Amino acid sequence: MLVVMRMDASPDQIDGVVRRVESHGLKASPIAGAQRTAVGITGNLGVVEPGLFESLPGVLEVIQVSHPYKLVSREFHAEDTILEVGDVKIGGRDLLIIAGPCSVESYEQTLRIAETVKASGAHLLRGGAFKPRTSPYSFQGLGREGLKILARVREVTGLPVVTEALDIDVLDDVAEVADIVQIGARNMQNYTLLRRAGQCGRPILLKRGMNATVTEWLLAAEYILDQGNEQVILCERGIRTFADHTRSTLDVAAIPAVKQISHLPVIADPSHAAGQRDKVIPLARAAVAVGADGLMVEVHDEPDEALSDGNQALLPGQFVELMEEIRLLASVLDRQVPSQASQRSL
Ligand code: PEP
Ligand code: MN
């Protein structure tokens, strides 16, 4: 950390900063420049609170030099983390495709869509049993009944399952069924839930909050790793901006930005970003082109009847098209979309 002094800061004020630094057991190194002095702070093991110095007389600003996160960063772990779920590898050269309905609506609906996406090459099935809905009057998901449906569909199709844990009360039940536990955008800063996710023994798909910076997102992941769970997949799902031509703005630049900082795999969810099915495939292409390790997309065979997010669900034929395009893209990016032949039936 660097405490930058004002141009007119007096020697006493610089001393004041040095004394405050030393009083916290840290080392202060004043660096005199042509116009102003900055005081470098070293010797800290964790994050130093900028507020300790910001209001001292003569201080202009406090600059964080090192990152506030540790376990998620490449400084700590240089190589890409590659997760294994059954025979599916997440990260590395492989592109992971997760597909399925927004919500589990019934056994028949979930099975039908699971078989469809499996036939087209999806590696994992998605489907929410507990749904975070903006309105309390909207369909809230089938709850534990939905989890049972997902377990049965996995048994029949062999597709591993990703589903959301909405709160700590349901986390253990979700973790019992899910091959990957999803923490949704609205819960990205639910620190109690993140800690529990770090203890649940399952890989976690951590969606980016719609108002979260990259740093906040990585710090949320840090909570999970800090509990000993290194199996985290980050998912960019769009953020709030002034743009109103899509539901959210898929922050494609965040994908290479995060991959540069972190060893964790990063996938994209173009469905929740787009909010409209005709924009899902173009955004999916963009995400893969900038280096996403996979995609999570919503697919429904009767979107007009869907209980949530029907507007953004790809039709089965469009999902086939998406898979073809992603396979083509993968070949020019020196990546691959693994065939399910290598997947174990669970
Ligand atoms: C979802 O994946 O069904 C979902 C609710 O996504 P998000 O948390 O990104 O809104
Ligand atoms: Mn949805």
Side-chain angles (χ1 to χ4, degrees):
M1 182 179 279
L2 210 55
V3 181
V4 181
M5 305 301 297
R6 293 164 52 101
M7 278 163 72
D8 59 0
S10 68
D12 263 6
Q13 290 174 334
I14 297 170
D15 262 8
V17 170
V18 169
R19 281 197 301 278
R20 172 68 62 92
V21 172
E22 290 173 351
S23 74
H24 286 272
L26 304 170
K27 186 171 183 299
S29 310
I31 308 155
Q35 294 189 322
R36 64 176 87 246
T37 295
V39 181
I41 303 177
T42 50
N44 49 305
L45 294 175
V47 178
V48 180
E49 202 41 66
L52 287 173
F53 311 103
E54 271 163 354
S55 55
L56 289 180
V59 171
L60 179 71
E61 62 175 331
V62 176
I63 300 172
Q64 299 265 15
V65 178
S66 53
H67 299 303
Y69 36 76
K70 179 177 73 174
L71 303 173
V72 299
S73 93
R74 284 195 189 274
E75 280 176 344
F76 187 79
H77 184 298
E79 301 297 312
D80 284 347
T81 287
I82 299 178
L83 274 63
E84 287 183 21
V85 174
D87 282 352
V88 183
K89 285 200 176 63
I90 307 166
R93 261 194 89 213
D94 289 357
L95 289 175
L96 168 82
I97 311 292
I98 306 172
C102 178
S103 295
V104 172
E105 299 168 11
S106 68
Y107 173 68
E108 291 72 24
Q109 168 253 14
T110 309
L111 180 63
R112 249 186 5 247
I113 299 173
E115 283 176 336
T116 302
V117 298
K118 183 180 179 183
S120 313
H123 307 111
L124 280 96
L125 172 68
R126 63 146 289 142
F130 298 93
K131 295 303 303 175
R133 303 306 302 280
T134 304
S135 164
Y137 308 118
S138 302
F139 176 61
Q140 304 286 309
L142 296 181
R144 289 181 171 81
E145 192 49 41
L147 292 180
K148 285 189 202 151
I149 292 172
L150 285 169
R152 284 172 64 199
V153 170
R154 180 186 42 197
E155 221 170 274
V156 175
T157 61
L159 276 184
V161 160
V162 183
T163 194
E164 177 165 354
L166 206 51
D167 54 48
I168 53 172
D169 293 343
V170 301
L171 185 80
D172 290 339
D173 291 349
V174 169
E176 208 171 302
V177 167
D179 297 275
I180 299 178
V181 174
Q182 177 172 326
I183 304 284
R186 291 156 190 81
N187 265 322
M188 190 209 82
Q189 287 182 312
N190 180 339
Y191 300 115
T192 322
L193 183 61
L194 294 173
R195 274 206 196 89
R196 286 284 301 277
Q199 299 159 0
C200 80
R202 290 283 188 197
I204 307 295
L205 179 79
L206 178 64
K207 289 195 146 194
R208 179 181 181 185
M210 55 267 275
N211 300 308
T213 63
V214 159
T215 301
E216 288 162 345
W217 187 18
L218 289 170
L219 283 170
E222 186 86 12
Y223 267 86
I224 302 170
L225 271 76
D226 185 49
Q227 294 297 310
N229 187 353
E230 288 164 13
Q231 305 195 83
V232 175
I233 305 152
L234 298 167
C235 180
E236 163 61 40
R237 50 79 71 208
I239 51 170
R240 281 267 163 92
T241 67
F242 53 82
D244 58 3
H245 50 275
T246 50
R247 183 173 170 181
S248 289
T249 298
L250 187 72
D251 184 3
V252 275
I255 297 166
V258 169
K259 286 188 67 71
Q260 208 166 51
I261 301 168
S262 177
H263 52 88
L264 297 172
V266 183
I267 68 166
D269 169 353
S271 303
H272 288 89
Q276 305 139 13
R277 78 174 56 88
D278 62 337
K279 298 192 177 61
V280 172
I281 294 181
L283 290 179
R285 278 191 226 120
V288 170
V290 296
D293 295 306
L295 297 168
M296 175 150 96
V297 291
E298 290 186 343
V299 177
H300 205 297
D301 57 354
E302 292 176 339
D304 294 342
E305 310 298 320
L307 297 181
S308 60
D309 286 349
N311 274 348
Q312 67 197 33
L314 292 179
L315 292 158
Q318 291 177 304
F319 182 63
V320 171
E321 194 185 315
L322 171 73
M323 290 300 292
E324 282 166 5
E325 294 194 16
I326 298 304
R327 283 194 192 96
L328 271 175
L329 252 178
S331 66
V332 296
L333 295 168
D334 193 28
R335 303 198 73 159
Q336 59 179 12
V337 180
S339 73
Q340 293 150 336
S342 62
Q343 275 187 36
R344 180 171 54 96
S345 213
L346 294 177

